Amino acid sequence: MVLIDKATPPLSDVAKLGSNPLLVYTLLFEAAQHDVRGDCGGASCWSIKGLASELKITRKTVSRAISILLDCGYIQIAGEEKNEGGSNNTVWRVTHPEMLQSVRYAIEVMGQLPSGRLKVMRTKSKQVNPYTSDTYT
């Protein structure tokens, strides 16, 4: 991974995707610039709910913007973390501008858009285990 703390965000390119993806990307990029853990920084733990609240837009709008940003390679799913409520928050990794071409190529080779993977992750985390009445994680 390459730190993005000194990188210039490709805001004019992201702006072509629409105002909501630009708003979401700007917040995620700003948060990721402050994540400088060794050589693996560039992550942000903003939740959909948190982004929506901060930006004064709906969760559905934020989710659509996240999907667009994922599918265009501007952000990636870095993993999940348990939050205080016991559910999972997605950890977003902002793609370093110099790595965009490589990430887009990887998306093309994978065949499934990252937004589809995110949808599967979210669906699985909400499924109920009929034997324990717990949700799968």
Side-chain angles (χ1 to χ4, degrees), residues 4-5 7 9 11 22-36 42-44 46 54 94:
I4 65 167
D5 61 329
L11 296 179
L22 179 61
L23 290 170
V24 170
Y25 180 77
T26 302
L27 268 184
L28 291 175
F29 194 95
E30 182 180 287
Q33 280 186 309
H34 297 290
D35 180 26
V36 290
S44 171
W46 273 101
E54 181 72 17
V94 174

Side-chain angles (χ1 to χ4, degrees), residues 2-78:
V2 179
L3 293 176
I4 65 167
D5 61 329
K6 293 178 178 65
T8 303
L11 296 179
S12 59
D13 291 338
V14 176
K16 294 173 186 172
L17 302 174
S19 61
N20 292 320
L22 179 61
L23 290 170
V24 170
Y25 180 77
T26 302
L27 268 184
L28 291 175
F29 194 95
E30 182 180 287
Q33 280 186 309
H34 297 290
D35 180 26
V36 290
R37 297 170 285 141
D39 64 349
C40 63
S44 171
C45 296
W46 273 101
S47 67
I48 301 287
K49 182 179 178 181
L51 287 164
S53 176
E54 181 72 17
L55 296 170
K56 311 275 190 279
I57 56 179
T58 67
R59 289 186 204 180
K60 188 173 183 175
T61 300
V62 171
S63 290
R64 278 194 301 258
I66 290 283
S67 291
I68 291 167
L69 293 168
L70 281 167
D71 293 344
C72 291
Y74 289 107
I75 62 173
Q76 302 164 52
I77 302 166

